[in-house]
Amino acid sequence: MRKINSDPQAYIKAQAETLNKLSASDWQPDLTQLDALVGSLRIKGMPQSGLHDIVWQWTGSTYQGKQNPVANPALYEVVYGADGTLRVKADCNNASGTYTYAGGMVGNVRVQMGPSTLAACAPTLARRS
């Protein structure tokens, strides 16, 4: 508990690194079987993944240990539709595309971007809310 309380992010990272080094067969049941089981579950009203029909906003980034918050996250959004379509808002521009999702509840996303507007947006300082 001391490790968790003193630096929870470092603890989680260390645990994830340890678990990621294990092969699928080191788990009981095998992770491939467990993922197939979890992926086969159908719960009424539950999307197949946690991506669908949620507005994801870019709130910030970290570069060389420095946190850089986004002034207006509502200007930078991605929505993954349950039908495999993708909508992107990037400042004053919009884009669309498609995506595929594989791997059950914890999987990978492959995006194919489509058309995009290419407007020159106003300076970000003028766009802050």
Side-chain angles (χ1 to χ4, degrees), residues 6-41:
S6 66
D7 190 348
Q9 293 298 328
Y11 177 80
I12 291 169
K13 182 179 179 184
Q15 294 303 308
E17 288 172 358
T18 299
L19 295 173
N20 286 334
K21 289 177 185 174
L22 299 173
S23 70
S25 62
D26 289 333
W27 296 80
Q28 291 299 320
D30 180 290
L31 283 185
T32 304
Q33 294 173 348
L34 184 60
D35 191 51
L37 171 68
V38 171
S40 73
L41 297 175

mmCIF file of all heavy atoms in Angstrom, residues 6-41:
data_model
loop_
_atom_site.group_PDB
_atom_site.id
_atom_site.type_symbol
_atom_site.label_atom_id
_atom_site.label_comp_id
_atom_site.label_asym_id
_atom_site.label_seq_id
_atom_site.Cartn_x
_atom_site.Cartn_y
_atom_site.Cartn_z
ATOM 1 N N SER A 6 2.282 6.243 -2.369
ATOM 2 C CA SER A 6 3.349 7.217 -2.597
ATOM 3 C C SER A 6 3.422 7.666 -4.056
ATOM 4 O O SER A 6 3.692 8.830 -4.337
ATOM 5 C CB SER A 6 4.698 6.674 -2.142
ATOM 6 O OG SER A 6 5.078 5.584 -2.954
ATOM 7 N N ASP A 7 3.192 6.743 -5.003
ATOM 8 C CA ASP A 7 3.247 7.103 -6.425
ATOM 9 C C ASP A 7 2.367 6.126 -7.213
ATOM 10 O O ASP A 7 2.864 5.162 -7.797
ATOM 11 C CB ASP A 7 4.687 7.064 -6.931
ATOM 12 C CG ASP A 7 4.834 7.663 -8.326
ATOM 13 O OD1 ASP A 7 3.812 7.910 -9.006
ATOM 14 O OD2 ASP A 7 5.985 7.884 -8.739
ATOM 15 N N PRO A 8 1.051 6.373 -7.228
ATOM 16 C CA PRO A 8 0.148 5.412 -7.862
ATOM 17 C C PRO A 8 0.440 5.192 -9.343
ATOM 18 O O PRO A 8 0.344 4.063 -9.830
ATOM 19 C CB PRO A 8 -1.246 6.014 -7.661
ATOM 20 C CG PRO A 8 -1.072 7.338 -7.038
ATOM 21 C CD PRO A 8 0.348 7.485 -6.627
ATOM 22 N N GLN A 9 0.816 6.224 -10.072
ATOM 23 C CA GLN A 9 1.099 6.067 -11.502
ATOM 24 C C GLN A 9 2.304 5.156 -11.727
ATOM 25 O O GLN A 9 2.295 4.310 -12.613
ATOM 26 C CB GLN A 9 1.327 7.425 -12.163
ATOM 27 C CG GLN A 9 0.089 8.288 -12.215
ATOM 28 C CD GLN A 9 -1.026 7.658 -13.031
ATOM 29 O OE1 GLN A 9 -0.784 6.938 -13.988
ATOM 30 N NE2 GLN A 9 -2.263 7.925 -12.649
ATOM 31 N N ALA A 10 3.357 5.327 -10.927
ATOM 32 C CA ALA A 10 4.544 4.483 -11.057
ATOM 33 C C ALA A 10 4.211 3.038 -10.701
ATOM 34 O O ALA A 10 4.677 2.101 -11.356
ATOM 35 C CB ALA A 10 5.667 5.000 -10.171
ATOM 36 N N TYR A 11 3.390 2.837 -9.682
ATOM 37 C CA TYR A 11 2.990 1.489 -9.286
ATOM 38 C C TYR A 11 2.206 0.806 -10.401
ATOM 39 O O TYR A 11 2.484 -0.334 -10.762
ATOM 40 C CB TYR A 11 2.161 1.540 -8.001
ATOM 41 C CG TYR A 11 1.665 0.174 -7.584
ATOM 42 C CD1 TYR A 11 2.509 -0.705 -6.910
ATOM 43 C CD2 TYR A 11 0.374 -0.244 -7.877
ATOM 44 C CE1 TYR A 11 2.077 -1.967 -6.548
ATOM 45 C CE2 TYR A 11 -0.066 -1.497 -7.522
ATOM 46 C CZ TYR A 11 0.780 -2.356 -6.853
ATOM 47 O OH TYR A 11 0.357 -3.614 -6.490
ATOM 48 N N ILE A 12 1.234 1.515 -10.960
ATOM 49 C CA ILE A 12 0.422 0.949 -12.045
ATOM 50 C C ILE A 12 1.294 0.635 -13.252
ATOM 51 O O ILE A 12 1.166 -0.426 -13.869
ATOM 52 C CB ILE A 12 -0.724 1.913 -12.412
ATOM 53 C CG1 ILE A 12 -1.733 1.969 -11.261
ATOM 54 C CG2 ILE A 12 -1.398 1.504 -13.715
ATOM 55 C CD1 ILE A 12 -2.764 3.075 -11.390
ATOM 56 N N LYS A 13 2.218 1.536 -13.578
ATOM 57 C CA LYS A 13 3.112 1.306 -14.710
ATOM 58 C C LYS A 13 3.977 0.063 -14.481
ATOM 59 O O LYS A 13 4.131 -0.767 -15.368
ATOM 60 C CB LYS A 13 3.991 2.536 -14.940
ATOM 61 C CG LYS A 13 4.919 2.400 -16.122
ATOM 62 C CD LYS A 13 5.753 3.646 -16.328
ATOM 63 C CE LYS A 13 6.698 3.459 -17.502
ATOM 64 N NZ LYS A 13 7.582 4.584 -17.696
ATOM 65 N N ALA A 14 4.523 -0.089 -13.282
ATOM 66 C CA ALA A 14 5.368 -1.244 -12.968
ATOM 67 C C ALA A 14 4.566 -2.542 -13.050
ATOM 68 O O ALA A 14 5.049 -3.546 -13.592
ATOM 69 C CB ALA A 14 5.997 -1.091 -11.585
ATOM 70 N N GLN A 15 3.343 -2.519 -12.532
ATOM 71 C CA GLN A 15 2.494 -3.712 -12.588
ATOM 72 C C GLN A 15 2.141 -4.058 -14.031
ATOM 73 O O GLN A 15 2.169 -5.228 -14.426
ATOM 74 C CB GLN A 15 1.220 -3.517 -11.754
ATOM 75 C CG GLN A 15 1.471 -3.383 -10.273
ATOM 76 C CD GLN A 15 2.224 -4.575 -9.701
ATOM 77 O OE1 GLN A 15 1.848 -5.720 -9.893
ATOM 78 N NE2 GLN A 15 3.317 -4.302 -9.008
ATOM 79 N N ALA A 16 1.822 -3.041 -14.828
ATOM 80 C CA ALA A 16 1.485 -3.271 -16.242
ATOM 81 C C ALA A 16 2.679 -3.849 -16.986
ATOM 82 O O ALA A 16 2.524 -4.777 -17.788
ATOM 83 C CB ALA A 16 1.021 -1.969 -16.892
ATOM 84 N N GLU A 17 3.882 -3.336 -16.719
ATOM 85 C CA GLU A 17 5.084 -3.861 -17.379
ATOM 86 C C GLU A 17 5.303 -5.323 -17.010
ATOM 87 O O GLU A 17 5.638 -6.143 -17.869
ATOM 88 C CB GLU A 17 6.302 -3.012 -17.021
ATOM 89 C CG GLU A 17 6.295 -1.647 -17.684
ATOM 90 C CD GLU A 17 7.399 -0.727 -17.193
ATOM 91 O OE1 GLU A 17 8.177 -1.118 -16.284
ATOM 92 O OE2 GLU A 17 7.472 0.400 -17.702
ATOM 93 N N THR A 18 5.115 -5.665 -15.748
ATOM 94 C CA THR A 18 5.270 -7.060 -15.304
ATOM 95 C C THR A 18 4.261 -7.957 -15.997
ATOM 96 O O THR A 18 4.609 -9.020 -16.525
ATOM 97 C CB THR A 18 5.096 -7.161 -13.773
ATOM 98 O OG1 THR A 18 6.106 -6.371 -13.141
ATOM 99 C CG2 THR A 18 5.200 -8.600 -13.300
ATOM 100 N N LEU A 19 3.005 -7.538 -16.032
ATOM 101 C CA LEU A 19 1.957 -8.348 -16.656
ATOM 102 C C LEU A 19 2.144 -8.445 -18.160
ATOM 103 O O LEU A 19 1.897 -9.498 -18.752
ATOM 104 C CB LEU A 19 0.578 -7.775 -16.321
ATOM 105 C CG LEU A 19 0.194 -7.835 -14.841
ATOM 106 C CD1 LEU A 19 -1.113 -7.091 -14.609
ATOM 107 C CD2 LEU A 19 0.099 -9.271 -14.348
ATOM 108 N N ASN A 20 2.591 -7.366 -18.797
ATOM 109 C CA ASN A 20 2.782 -7.379 -20.247
ATOM 110 C C ASN A 20 3.919 -8.296 -20.683
ATOM 111 O O ASN A 20 3.965 -8.713 -21.832
ATOM 112 C CB ASN A 20 3.014 -5.963 -20.776
ATOM 113 C CG ASN A 20 1.737 -5.152 -20.788
ATOM 114 O OD1 ASN A 20 0.642 -5.703 -20.877
ATOM 115 N ND2 ASN A 20 1.880 -3.847 -20.698
ATOM 116 N N LYS A 21 4.849 -8.599 -19.783
ATOM 117 C CA LYS A 21 5.957 -9.505 -20.117
ATOM 118 C C LYS A 21 5.517 -10.966 -20.151
ATOM 119 O O LYS A 21 6.198 -11.806 -20.712
ATOM 120 C CB LYS A 21 7.097 -9.337 -19.105
ATOM 121 C CG LYS A 21 7.838 -8.028 -19.244
ATOM 122 C CD LYS A 21 8.908 -7.894 -18.181
ATOM 123 C CE LYS A 21 9.559 -6.525 -18.246
ATOM 124 N NZ LYS A 21 10.507 -6.317 -17.138
ATOM 125 N N LEU A 22 4.366 -11.267 -19.556
ATOM 126 C CA LEU A 22 3.871 -12.640 -19.534
ATOM 127 C C LEU A 22 3.288 -13.005 -20.892
ATOM 128 O O LEU A 22 2.726 -12.162 -21.587
ATOM 129 C CB LEU A 22 2.791 -12.790 -18.460
ATOM 130 C CG LEU A 22 3.213 -12.511 -17.023
ATOM 131 C CD1 LEU A 22 2.004 -12.544 -16.103
ATOM 132 C CD2 LEU A 22 4.247 -13.532 -16.565
ATOM 133 N N SER A 23 3.435 -14.260 -21.267
ATOM 134 C CA SER A 23 2.822 -14.722 -22.516
ATOM 135 C C SER A 23 1.362 -15.083 -22.229
ATOM 136 O O SER A 23 0.969 -15.269 -21.076
ATOM 137 C CB SER A 23 3.572 -15.927 -23.066
ATOM 138 O OG SER A 23 3.348 -17.054 -22.243
ATOM 139 N N ALA A 24 0.576 -15.200 -23.284
ATOM 140 C CA ALA A 24 -0.851 -15.523 -23.139
ATOM 141 C C ALA A 24 -1.039 -16.838 -22.394
ATOM 142 O O ALA A 24 -1.974 -16.993 -21.604
ATOM 143 C CB ALA A 24 -1.525 -15.579 -24.507
ATOM 144 N N SER A 25 -0.136 -17.801 -22.583
ATOM 145 C CA SER A 25 -0.287 -19.107 -21.943
ATOM 146 C C SER A 25 0.110 -19.104 -20.467
ATOM 147 O O SER A 25 -0.147 -20.076 -19.757
ATOM 148 C CB SER A 25 0.529 -20.153 -22.699
ATOM 149 O OG SER A 25 1.900 -19.818 -22.666
ATOM 150 N N ASP A 26 0.722 -18.008 -19.973
ATOM 151 C CA ASP A 26 1.077 -17.912 -18.553
ATOM 152 C C ASP A 26 -0.143 -17.658 -17.677
ATOM 153 O O ASP A 26 -0.057 -17.726 -16.466
ATOM 154 C CB ASP A 26 2.087 -16.780 -18.317
ATOM 155 C CG ASP A 26 3.466 -17.104 -18.863
ATOM 156 O OD1 ASP A 26 3.804 -18.299 -18.948
ATOM 157 O OD2 ASP A 26 4.189 -16.164 -19.211
ATOM 158 N N TRP A 27 -1.273 -17.341 -18.281
ATOM 159 C CA TRP A 27 -2.488 -17.017 -17.551
ATOM 160 C C TRP A 27 -3.401 -18.230 -17.482
ATOM 161 O O TRP A 27 -3.384 -19.081 -18.344
ATOM 162 C CB TRP A 27 -3.224 -15.877 -18.254
ATOM 163 C CG TRP A 27 -2.440 -14.603 -18.262
ATOM 164 C CD1 TRP A 27 -1.421 -14.280 -19.103
ATOM 165 C CD2 TRP A 27 -2.604 -13.499 -17.400
ATOM 166 N NE1 TRP A 27 -0.946 -13.035 -18.813
ATOM 167 C CE2 TRP A 27 -1.656 -12.523 -17.776
ATOM 168 C CE3 TRP A 27 -3.460 -13.214 -16.352
ATOM 169 C CZ2 TRP A 27 -1.548 -11.302 -17.137
ATOM 170 C CZ3 TRP A 27 -3.351 -11.988 -15.714
ATOM 171 C CH2 TRP A 27 -2.393 -11.054 -16.103
ATOM 172 N N GLN A 28 -4.234 -18.291 -16.464
ATOM 173 C CA GLN A 28 -5.234 -19.344 -16.342
ATOM 174 C C GLN A 28 -6.587 -18.691 -16.145
ATOM 175 O O GLN A 28 -6.777 -17.995 -15.149
ATOM 176 C CB GLN A 28 -4.927 -20.266 -15.166
ATOM 177 C CG GLN A 28 -3.713 -21.117 -15.382
ATOM 178 C CD GLN A 28 -3.848 -22.045 -16.573
ATOM 179 O OE1 GLN A 28 -4.919 -22.614 -16.802
ATOM 180 N NE2 GLN A 28 -2.780 -22.194 -17.332
ATOM 181 N N PRO A 29 -7.532 -18.808 -17.040
ATOM 182 C CA PRO A 29 -7.374 -19.465 -18.330
ATOM 183 C C PRO A 29 -6.460 -18.649 -19.243
ATOM 184 O O PRO A 29 -6.213 -17.477 -18.987
ATOM 185 C CB PRO A 29 -8.796 -19.516 -18.892
ATOM 186 C CG PRO A 29 -9.492 -18.365 -18.263
ATOM 187 C CD PRO A 29 -8.871 -18.214 -16.896
ATOM 188 N N ASP A 30 -6.011 -19.280 -20.314
ATOM 189 C CA ASP A 30 -5.183 -18.645 -21.330
ATOM 190 C C ASP A 30 -5.858 -17.334 -21.767
ATOM 191 O O ASP A 30 -7.078 -17.288 -21.935
ATOM 192 C CB ASP A 30 -5.052 -19.615 -22.512
ATOM 193 C CG ASP A 30 -4.215 -19.055 -23.631
ATOM 194 O OD1 ASP A 30 -4.673 -18.113 -24.300
ATOM 195 O OD2 ASP A 30 -3.110 -19.579 -23.834
ATOM 196 N N LEU A 31 -5.091 -16.254 -21.924
ATOM 197 C CA LEU A 31 -5.675 -14.952 -22.274
ATOM 198 C C LEU A 31 -6.448 -14.976 -23.587
ATOM 199 O O LEU A 31 -7.437 -14.266 -23.735
ATOM 200 C CB LEU A 31 -4.589 -13.875 -22.331
ATOM 201 C CG LEU A 31 -4.107 -13.354 -20.996
ATOM 202 C CD1 LEU A 31 -3.124 -12.200 -21.200
ATOM 203 C CD2 LEU A 31 -5.241 -12.907 -20.112
ATOM 204 N N THR A 32 -6.019 -15.794 -24.521
ATOM 205 C CA THR A 32 -6.741 -15.895 -25.785
ATOM 206 C C THR A 32 -8.142 -16.433 -25.535
ATOM 207 O O THR A 32 -9.127 -15.917 -26.062
ATOM 208 C CB THR A 32 -5.983 -16.797 -26.772
ATOM 209 O OG1 THR A 32 -4.656 -16.273 -26.926
ATOM 210 C CG2 THR A 32 -6.668 -16.858 -28.121
ATOM 211 N N GLN A 33 -8.257 -17.463 -24.689
ATOM 212 C CA GLN A 33 -9.563 -18.033 -24.346
ATOM 213 C C GLN A 33 -10.393 -17.040 -23.546
ATOM 214 O O GLN A 33 -11.587 -16.872 -23.785
ATOM 215 C CB GLN A 33 -9.397 -19.314 -23.541
ATOM 216 C CG GLN A 33 -8.773 -20.455 -24.303
ATOM 217 C CD GLN A 33 -8.489 -21.647 -23.406
ATOM 218 O OE1 GLN A 33 -8.561 -21.554 -22.182
ATOM 219 N NE2 GLN A 33 -8.147 -22.776 -24.017
ATOM 220 N N LEU A 34 -9.767 -16.380 -22.591
ATOM 221 C CA LEU A 34 -10.484 -15.416 -21.759
ATOM 222 C C LEU A 34 -10.998 -14.247 -22.593
ATOM 223 O O LEU A 34 -12.137 -13.818 -22.440
ATOM 224 C CB LEU A 34 -9.576 -14.912 -20.629
ATOM 225 C CG LEU A 34 -10.224 -13.969 -19.630
ATOM 226 C CD1 LEU A 34 -11.409 -14.632 -18.935
ATOM 227 C CD2 LEU A 34 -9.202 -13.507 -18.600
ATOM 228 N N ASP A 35 -10.167 -13.747 -23.515
ATOM 229 C CA ASP A 35 -10.586 -12.648 -24.371
ATOM 230 C C ASP A 35 -11.758 -13.076 -25.258
ATOM 231 O O ASP A 35 -12.703 -12.325 -25.454
ATOM 232 C CB ASP A 35 -9.425 -12.139 -25.216
ATOM 233 C CG ASP A 35 -9.761 -10.839 -25.909
ATOM 234 O OD1 ASP A 35 -10.226 -9.901 -25.233
ATOM 235 O OD2 ASP A 35 -9.579 -10.769 -27.137
ATOM 236 N N ALA A 36 -11.700 -14.301 -25.783
ATOM 237 C CA ALA A 36 -12.799 -14.821 -26.608
ATOM 238 C C ALA A 36 -14.075 -14.927 -25.780
ATOM 239 O O ALA A 36 -15.166 -14.578 -26.249
ATOM 240 C CB ALA A 36 -12.425 -16.169 -27.201
ATOM 241 N N LEU A 37 -13.950 -15.378 -24.537
ATOM 242 C CA LEU A 37 -15.109 -15.480 -23.659
ATOM 243 C C LEU A 37 -15.719 -14.113 -23.387
ATOM 244 O O LEU A 37 -16.924 -13.904 -23.559
ATOM 245 C CB LEU A 37 -14.724 -16.156 -22.340
ATOM 246 C CG LEU A 37 -15.808 -16.129 -21.254
ATOM 247 C CD1 LEU A 37 -16.979 -17.014 -21.670
ATOM 248 C CD2 LEU A 37 -15.235 -16.561 -19.923
ATOM 249 N N VAL A 38 -14.888 -13.162 -22.987
ATOM 250 C CA VAL A 38 -15.380 -11.817 -22.692
ATOM 251 C C VAL A 38 -15.973 -11.190 -23.949
ATOM 252 O O VAL A 38 -17.040 -10.565 -23.905
ATOM 253 C CB VAL A 38 -14.263 -10.930 -22.096
ATOM 254 C CG1 VAL A 38 -14.698 -9.481 -21.996
ATOM 255 C CG2 VAL A 38 -13.849 -11.465 -20.731
ATOM 256 N N GLY A 39 -15.323 -11.376 -25.099
ATOM 257 C CA GLY A 39 -15.827 -10.830 -26.352
ATOM 258 C C GLY A 39 -17.144 -11.436 -26.786
ATOM 259 O O GLY A 39 -17.902 -10.820 -27.533
ATOM 260 N N SER A 40 -17.448 -12.635 -26.317
ATOM 261 C CA SER A 40 -18.696 -13.298 -26.709
ATOM 262 C C SER A 40 -19.876 -12.877 -25.839
ATOM 263 O O SER A 40 -21.018 -13.165 -26.182
ATOM 264 C CB SER A 40 -18.529 -14.815 -26.643
ATOM 265 O OG SER A 40 -18.482 -15.259 -25.295
ATOM 266 N N LEU A 41 -19.614 -12.236 -24.723
ATOM 267 C CA LEU A 41 -20.702 -11.817 -23.830
ATOM 268 C C LEU A 41 -21.561 -10.756 -24.500
ATOM 269 O O LEU A 41 -21.052 -9.825 -25.117
ATOM 270 C CB LEU A 41 -20.142 -11.269 -22.517
ATOM 271 C CG LEU A 41 -19.352 -12.252 -21.652
ATOM 272 C CD1 LEU A 41 -18.770 -11.526 -20.455
ATOM 273 C CD2 LEU A 41 -20.226 -13.400 -21.210
#
